[in-house]
Amino acid sequence: MRFVKFASVVLLAAFAGITPLRAADAGGDLTRLLRDYREGIRTLSAAIDPERGDKNSTDAYNAAGIAKYLTARRQLNQNLSGRLLAIPTERLSPSDLLSYEIFRWDLEDEGAELAPGVAERFWLLPLNQFDGRHLSFAREMQYRTDTPLDEAKDYDRAITRMIGFTRWLDSAIVRMRAGIAEGVVQPRIIVERMIAETEPFAAGAPDDGVFMGPLRKMPESLAEEDRARIAPAYREAVDGALVPAYRRLADFLKNEYLPASRSSAGLSGMPGGRQMYLYLVKDETTEEMKPEAIHAFGLSEIKRIEAAMEIVKKETGFTGSLDAFRQFLRTDPRFKFKDSDAMMAEFNRVRDAAEMRLSSVISLKPRSKLTFRFLEDFAAPYRPAAEYRGGNGSRAGIVYLNNFDLPSRLTFTSEALQMHEGLPGHHLQVALAAENRSLPRFRRFGGETAFTEGWGLYAESLGPELGLLTDPYQKFGALSFDAWRSARLVIDTGIHWMGWSRERAIQFLVAHTTLSQGEASEEVERYIAIPGQALAYKIGEQKFLSLRARAKQALGDKFDLKRFHDAVLKDGAMPLPILDAKMQRWIEQEKSAS
């Protein structure tokens, strides 16, 4: 569950009293337990998190508050685990049994996250340059501009949320100040990036800026008295609360946090960091793996992929070395987008081609459409080449493309990148789960990174079935992406377990992929900021590939790729060991049916 992401996710229901479970209604007991979990999150996160709630202080974030909060979470985890284990699994339907297994894994993972010495340190690292709330809140405001608010009550809620967010920023400062005292701080490079992100917001909110967007898009349908009331209240929330909070954060980062930041890049250079990383390895991969084994596997995968690259390089007619070919691809004008419109047109082409042949690899199809947008200018410098935001059936899924430093965005990776983020990758997997109302909410909208990113990387390998990757340069682009994800295994463990420097990691990434120096720097800083997440891609992909190979071997001519993919995705994301057992049952069922 990763505390650094879910620090405000707290459960309260168990303290309200544990209802005795009835063996005759095991499915109902599970449903009620999941409901209590969800309601507990909503209730206690509102009470603890000033962004979500309406408290006038940040007292919950002082040192005593942290201890009290973590004690409550640990007790709650134990209580919920006890309730879950009391449910007689033999009385559950197959679907409920799967929910039981996934939820049990989640609670065990949360228990490891809450271990003494681990949770406390995650709590002291509330912000980073990659997915910190100081940045995600601004992106949310941009989204509200692009998708305007409709009613007066929506604006009232937006104003309340802004005020709450300013208190959250102040609480983050309190936590980081406590981190300074404990020596639990971000690396200097990460702090420098956060300062660069924060200063434009601290400078003020111009009328054409991101924070004023919802006010500019106020619908004409609002009554005049509502417009007259909302406009000054909204502006005051921005100018009188939000901007000053960003200013306080910028001042703190520059004057207190930067001087106290650490020179080491990885978690192992921080008190308790190795224990934190071991938790993250299990959390992100959902497997029992040692960092040394992951590191070695990454190196072996790079060796295998580079052998395949040599073959594809010969298909292009290039006679130089592999390093020379990579440099040629990075610098030749034919592999550069002419402009942003050309980039958009290319991704639309690849999406349309994949959609045309999608029924050849899977029977299921989401209702949500897939569209593309460019990343916000203020976010793009520190974001990846593309990222997906899910739809819900009525709202389209969006792939945000990064056109920052456009000459560094190479054309020959467009097919692999769209297949990963769009179809048949994240959009297919995430939308299918969200639209499946037969699943409980935690399975529709949650999901382990190893499954979601593993599927995204696996989806890149489906190019031949979709009529893509026929061009040798695009084939090489797909191999380069595969090498990139393999290099992540090496770099992440290198930085956080073996003490690698940022510079050594960048050099390794440039040497084994077609990423530019700038892209490699952005990627390495991402891995520094969110330890362990980079491991999920390749580990997850290997599970999907091994399951497919196992099914083909077991079923022979009876193997149906569409039925295999349907079975993999129909139940939503889950930890890889649970997926493995589920698909083994499916293989046995397919054998019996044939």
Side-chain angles (χ1 to χ4, degrees):
M1 286 194 176
R2 194 159 178 193
F3 195 83
V4 70
K5 291 182 180 177
F6 301 109
S8 65
V9 177
V10 192
L11 313 178
L12 184 63
F15 288 123
I18 300 177
T19 304
L21 300 176
R22 294 164 293 169
D25 187 22
D29 289 331
L30 179 62
T31 298
R32 284 184 286 275
L33 178 60
L34 295 174
R35 182 195 60 208
D36 289 347
Y37 184 95
R38 185 172 68 250
E39 291 303 315
I41 290 173
R42 183 178 297 120
T43 301
L44 198 52
S45 65
I48 291 293
D49 188 340
E51 182 185 352
R52 299 171 183 267
D54 195 26
K55 293 179 73 70
N56 292 319
S57 70
T58 56
D59 291 344
Y61 290 92
N62 61 27
I66 293 173
K68 188 174 181 180
Y69 167 83
L70 293 179
T71 297
R73 279 199 67 179
R74 287 162 180 152
Q75 290 175 348
L76 207 64
N77 178 271
Q78 293 174 5
N79 290 340
L80 285 169
S81 298
R83 285 181 62 182
L84 187 70
L85 292 175
I87 294 175
T89 55
E90 69 276 6
R91 296 177 182 268
L92 292 173
S93 69
S95 179
D96 283 343
L97 182 58
L98 197 55
S99 293
Y100 176 97
E101 292 170 346
I102 296 169
F103 190 57
R104 180 176 176 178
W105 193 97
D106 287 346
L107 287 178
E108 289 175 354
D109 181 61
E110 182 185 69
E113 172 193 29
L114 291 169
V118 175
E120 288 84 355
R121 290 184 170 88
F122 279 136
W123 182 268
L124 300 178
L125 298 171
L127 292 175
N128 62 62
Q129 92 294 354
F130 184 75
D131 58 4
R133 283 200 198 179
H134 66 295
L135 189 63
S136 63
F137 185 83
R139 297 192 69 194
E140 176 188 322
M141 298 292 280
Q142 181 64 59
Y143 182 78
R144 287 178 172 174
T145 302
D146 297 336
T147 310
L149 304 174
D150 295 324
E151 301 179 33
K153 63 182 180 181
D154 297 328
Y155 279 90
D156 292 335
R157 279 195 288 262
I159 291 169
T160 299
R161 181 161 170 76
M162 267 194 282
I163 301 300
F165 177 66
T166 65
R167 292 195 290 269
W168 189 91
L169 285 181
D170 287 337
S171 75
I173 292 173
V174 172
R175 289 156 64 179
M176 288 187 285
R177 192 170 281 136
I180 293 173
E182 298 289 333
V184 180
V185 294
Q186 294 285 12
R188 185 177 184 86
I189 186 65
I190 301 306
V191 183
E192 290 173 345
R193 297 292 185 252
M194 286 196 291
I195 291 170
E197 292 170 339
T198 304
E199 284 187 324
F201 303 132
D207 285 348
D208 60 352
V210 62
F211 295 140
M212 291 298 185
L215 201 58
R216 294 194 306 271
K217 294 292 187 73
M218 192 179 297
E220 295 293 334
S221 59
L222 282 183
E224 187 59 38
E225 59 268 25
D226 285 328
R227 296 170 66 86
R229 174 182 62 82
I230 290 169
Y234 187 97
R235 186 176 293 276
E236 174 58 26
V238 173
D239 292 338
L242 188 60
V243 171
Y246 272 104
R247 194 171 295 131
R248 290 192 295 272
L249 176 62
D251 289 344
F252 167 77
L253 291 175
K254 286 185 291 185
N255 299 322
E256 291 187 55
Y257 205 59
L258 184 64
S261 61
R262 54 189 165 95
S263 58
S264 60
L267 283 179
S268 61
M270 189 178 72
R274 293 178 76 82
Q275 186 183 5
M276 295 166 70
Y277 189 63
L278 287 176
Y279 161 72
L280 291 171
V281 169
K282 173 70 177 296
D283 173 67
E284 296 289 0
T285 68
T286 72
E287 299 277 22
E288 298 284 355
M289 303 185 73
K290 293 182 178 180
E292 295 87 351
I294 294 173
H295 191 89
F297 175 62
L299 290 172
S300 67
E301 277 293 280
I302 289 172
K303 185 176 181 180
R304 177 189 65 79
I305 294 164
E306 289 184 342
M309 285 178 165
E310 290 285 359
I311 296 172
V312 176
K313 183 195 71 175
K314 291 178 182 177
E315 290 182 33
T316 70
F318 191 87
T319 57
S321 67
L322 189 57
D323 285 342
F325 187 55
R326 289 192 185 104
Q327 186 61 18
F328 160 69
L329 293 174
R330 291 188 189 107
T331 57
D332 194 285
R334 82 182 80 172
F335 304 118
K336 310 289 184 183
F337 289 107
K338 181 178 68 174
D339 51 33
S340 295
D341 288 342
M343 173 186 270
M344 183 66 71
E346 170 63 1
F347 279 87
N348 278 310
R349 175 195 73 81
V350 181
R351 176 202 59 195
D352 293 346
E355 192 168 28
M356 186 180 303
R357 299 280 297 274
L358 190 61
S359 60
S360 66
V361 298
I362 192 167
S363 301
L364 304 174
K365 188 176 182 180
R367 297 190 306 276
S368 301
K369 299 299 182 182
L370 175 64
T371 188
F372 298 98
R373 293 182 187 175
F374 290 115
L375 281 163
E376 304 87 352
D377 291 343
F378 60 82
Y382 308 107
R383 305 305 296 174
E387 57 189 24
Y388 176 74
R389 177 180 289 174
N392 62 0
S394 60
R395 183 183 70 237
I398 302 169
V399 172
Y400 285 89
L401 304 173
N402 196 336
N403 60 346
F404 175 76
D405 189 16
L406 191 61
S408 72
R409 311 299 175 181
L410 304 175
T411 61
F412 62 88
T413 61
S414 61
E415 294 187 358
L417 185 55
Q418 192 290 138
M419 286 190 288
H420 183 108
E421 301 293 342
L423 291 172
H426 287 329
H427 179 65
L428 178 67
Q429 183 261 311
V430 172
L432 284 175
E435 294 170 12
N436 186 354
R437 293 187 175 275
S438 68
L439 299 179
R441 286 183 62 86
F442 87 104
R443 288 171 59 188
R444 289 175 62 201
F445 301 109
E448 284 70 22
T449 310
F451 188 105
T452 57
E453 294 298 352
W455 173 263
L457 182 51
Y458 168 80
E460 296 176 28
S461 71
L462 298 177
E465 287 89 348
L466 297 172
L468 297 170
L469 302 185
T470 57
D471 173 75
Y473 294 109
Q474 290 284 352
K475 281 199 285 187
F476 193 90
L479 286 171
S480 178
F481 269 26
D482 200 13
W484 171 22
R485 276 44 170 267
S486 300
R488 284 176 170 177
L489 302 181
V490 179
I491 292 168
D492 198 85
T493 52
I495 291 171
H496 295 291
W497 193 251
M498 301 173 180
W500 282 24
S501 67
R502 168 181 173 270
E503 291 69 27
R504 180 178 178 182
I506 293 171
Q507 183 180 16
F508 186 91
L509 197 54
V510 171
H512 295 285
T513 72
T514 54
L515 294 176
S516 66
Q517 187 79 17
E519 286 179 311
S521 298
E522 292 167 12
E523 284 295 311
V524 168
E525 288 164 13
R526 168 184 172 176
Y527 310 151
I528 293 171
I530 49 172
Q533 195 264 357
L535 308 178
Y537 297 72
K538 194 68 183 176
I539 301 303
E541 178 224 30
Q542 289 298 298
K543 176 58 68 176
F544 289 110
L545 290 172
S546 67
L547 288 173
R548 179 171 166 174
R550 187 195 307 172
K552 286 184 70 173
Q553 182 178 14
L555 300 176
D557 294 341
K558 302 295 184 181
F559 175 77
D560 185 321
L561 184 62
K562 292 168 63 173
R563 288 179 60 81
F564 172 77
H565 289 150
D566 288 348
V568 165
L569 294 186
K570 70 182 181 68
D571 296 307
M574 62 192 69
L576 299 184
I578 296 175
L579 172 67
D580 188 288
K582 185 195 88 161
M583 293 307 296
Q584 184 59 41
R585 293 193 295 270
W586 176 82
I587 291 171
E588 298 302 324
Q589 291 166 1
E590 291 290 290
K591 279 184 180 179
S592 299
S594 59

